[in-house]
């Protein structure tokens, strides 16, 4: 992009971690929501070696916006180029690159550069796009720094697992129960309060209280993206309800097969380093606690969705057998 209309920004952070470790975090696009607070969800649309096309949803000064981007990774240079192929107004174009440079003592400097243009060049719109770009870049760099500098290995820091149940009933009823989270208080015992705002169909922002297995009640918040035709609801907890979680993303999936319906709850959780403690066993204990707490809540919700669907089927009037006899 060239010309006077192009606006450029540059943000850098020094990280007390090897450049290779920092680059690995940046290259793993689908796990960016765990490491980057503004990033809500990323889906890889296609992949061809160093090139990939991604659809992303991000928070932008209180709004939630989606874009489709192309990225080219240059691992030997520790550099990633990106350009938005589709975006929302007032952004007209957006491109840039990430670079990670190795410095002395096993440290590194990570830099992100943006170039953007704005539809109509209205000063308020230019200022808004610049503010969002600056705020999100700073938040992402700070989160990358914190994760990369953690004394815990990344494999121990991230916990991924799933729960599932089989349902003898239509997938539409299961999805309906999961989608209508505003109805959960009074139906789901571990959710005593839930407020839901849906600014556009399928884009839900939740604020809620959740009762943990130990009886403690915690406040949480999340954003959910609902894809009814695919039977999917993806979510990111913007305020994790479980104390040991620094970030929590996941997905509800309703999967019909030849035997009925399988409902899956997938979770990926970034461990809060401050919850580990000083003992060598602290990481294992924190991971086990997260697995038990989130897994129990998740499985309870799945069982309630199963009961909802199966009870609705049982309540349907039975059709008479075709015996030829009068009813």
């Amino acid at each position: 992009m060239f010309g006077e209309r192009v606006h450029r920004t540059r943000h850098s952070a020094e990280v007390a971690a090897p450049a290779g470790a920092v680059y690995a975090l940046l290259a793993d696009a689908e796990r960016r929501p765990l490491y980057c607070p503004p990033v809500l969800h990323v889906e890889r649309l296609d992949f061809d070696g160093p090139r990939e096309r991604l659809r992303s949803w991000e928070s932008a000064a209180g709004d939630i916006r989606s874009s489709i981007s192309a990225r080219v990774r240059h691992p030997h240079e520790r550099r990633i180029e990106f350009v938005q192929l589709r975006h929302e107004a007032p952004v007209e174009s957006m491109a840039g690159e990430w670079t990670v440079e190795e410095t002395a003592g096993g440290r590194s400097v990570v830099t992100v550069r943006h170039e953007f243009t704005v539809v109509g060049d209205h000063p308020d719109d230019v200022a808004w796009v610049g503010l969002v770009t600056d705020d999100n870049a700073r938040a992402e760099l700070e989160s990358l720094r914190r994760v990369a500098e953690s004394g815990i290995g990344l494999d121990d820091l991230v916990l991924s697992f799933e729960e599932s149940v089989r349902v003898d009933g239509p997938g539409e009823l299961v999805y309906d129960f999961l989608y209508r989270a505003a109805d959960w208080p009074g139906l789901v015992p571990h959710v005593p309060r839930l407020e839901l705002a849906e600014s556009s169909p399928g884009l839900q922002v939740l604020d809620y209280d959740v009762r943990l297995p130990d009886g403690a009640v915690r406040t949480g918040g999340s954003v959910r993206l609902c894809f009814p035709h695919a039977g999917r609801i993806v979510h990111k907890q913007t305020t994790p309800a479980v104390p040991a979680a620094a970030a929590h993303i996941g997905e509800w999936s309703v999967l019909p097969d030849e035997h009925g319906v399988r409902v899956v709850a997938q979770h990926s959780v970034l461990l809060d380093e401050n919850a580990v403690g000083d003992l060598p066993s602290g990481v294992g204990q924190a991971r086990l606690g997260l697995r038990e707490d989130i897994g129990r809540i998740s499985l309870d919700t799945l069982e309630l969705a199963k009961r909802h669907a199966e009870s609705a089927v049982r309540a349907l009037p039975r059709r008479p057998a075709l015996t030829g006899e009068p009813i």
Side-chain angles (χ1 to χ4, degrees):
M1 295 181 291
F2 300 98
E4 296 180 357
R5 297 182 57 231
V6 177
H7 305 273
R8 296 177 174 85
T9 67
R10 180 183 184 277
H11 300 84
S12 296
E14 187 173 338
V15 184
V22 178
Y23 177 83
L25 286 172
L26 290 169
D28 189 354
E30 292 179 296
R31 289 211 289 189
R32 280 183 68 211
L34 280 175
Y35 314 138
C36 309
V39 182
L40 302 172
H41 180 61
V42 176
E43 294 191 355
R44 178 185 276 171
L45 301 178
D46 53 53
F47 171 72
D48 180 15
R51 301 176 182 274
E52 60 187 349
R53 196 163 56 94
L54 307 167
R55 186 173 185 189
S56 305
W57 286 261
E58 300 187 18
S59 59
D63 292 339
I64 297 172
R65 295 179 164 245
S66 68
S67 63
I68 293 179
S69 301
R71 298 206 317 172
V72 182
R73 292 172 294 168
H74 304 274
H76 297 298
E77 302 174 33
R78 289 191 286 266
R79 181 169 63 90
I80 300 173
E81 300 172 275
F82 61 87
V83 58
Q84 286 190 2
L85 306 175
R86 195 179 80 187
H87 32 253
E88 298 183 33
V91 176
E92 183 179 62
S93 65
M94 178 74 73
E97 68 173 4
W98 289 90
T99 59
V100 186
E101 301 173 272
E102 192 165 4
T103 59
R107 303 174 71 88
S108 57
V109 173
V110 56
T111 301
V112 59
R113 298 175 178 84
H114 290 89
E115 294 184 350
F116 64 89
T117 60
V118 174
V119 177
D121 293 320
H122 192 282
D124 290 344
D125 291 337
V126 172
W128 185 86
V129 175
L131 175 66
V132 169
T133 302
D134 289 346
D135 286 350
N136 286 4
R138 292 190 185 103
E140 191 161 354
L141 285 168
E142 172 58 24
S143 183
L144 282 168
R145 183 197 61 75
R146 188 175 64 252
V147 173
E149 290 181 354
S150 171
I152 305 170
L154 188 59
D155 289 341
D156 290 327
L157 207 58
V158 176
L159 172 66
S160 296
F161 64 94
E162 68 177 41
E163 304 284 357
S164 67
V165 298
R166 299 207 64 85
V167 179
D168 185 15
E172 293 83 0
L173 291 178
V174 178
Y175 184 88
D176 181 72
F177 180 86
L178 296 173
Y179 177 81
R180 296 182 182 276
D183 297 336
W184 286 4
L187 297 175
V188 179
H190 60 262
V191 182
R193 181 190 68 86
L194 189 148
E195 299 175 10
L196 185 150
E198 192 163 8
S199 57
S200 60
L203 178 56
Q204 300 179 337
V205 178
L206 282 63
D207 180 78
Y208 52 87
D209 293 334
V210 60
R211 184 174 291 105
L212 301 180
D214 65 1
V217 176
R218 300 260 306 181
T219 296
S222 65
V223 173
R224 306 202 315 174
L225 306 171
C226 306
F227 306 95
H229 297 298
R232 302 172 59 219
I233 299 175
V234 299
H235 61 85
K236 175 174 180 175
Q237 290 195 7
T238 50
T239 304
V242 177
H248 180 183
I249 61 176
E251 178 174 333
W252 304 94
S253 303
V254 181
L255 307 173
D257 58 29
E258 64 273 17
H259 303 294
V261 174
R262 180 169 172 255
V263 191
V264 181
Q266 298 172 304
H267 301 277
S268 289
V269 186
L270 180 68
L271 183 67
D272 184 353
E273 188 178 358
N274 296 322
V276 171
D278 298 326
L279 297 177
S281 60
V283 173
Q285 291 176 348
R287 287 172 60 88
L288 180 61
L290 278 172
R291 177 68 177 85
E292 290 180 347
D293 286 350
I294 296 174
R296 184 69 262 164
I297 293 170
S298 178
L299 192 56
D300 285 348
T301 306
L302 288 174
E303 292 289 351
L304 288 165
K306 168 185 171 76
R307 193 182 312 162
H308 169 77
E310 293 181 345
S311 63
V313 171
R314 287 193 295 269
L316 292 174
R318 292 198 165 197
R319 302 179 66 178
L322 298 178
T323 61
E325 299 178 0
I327 304 300

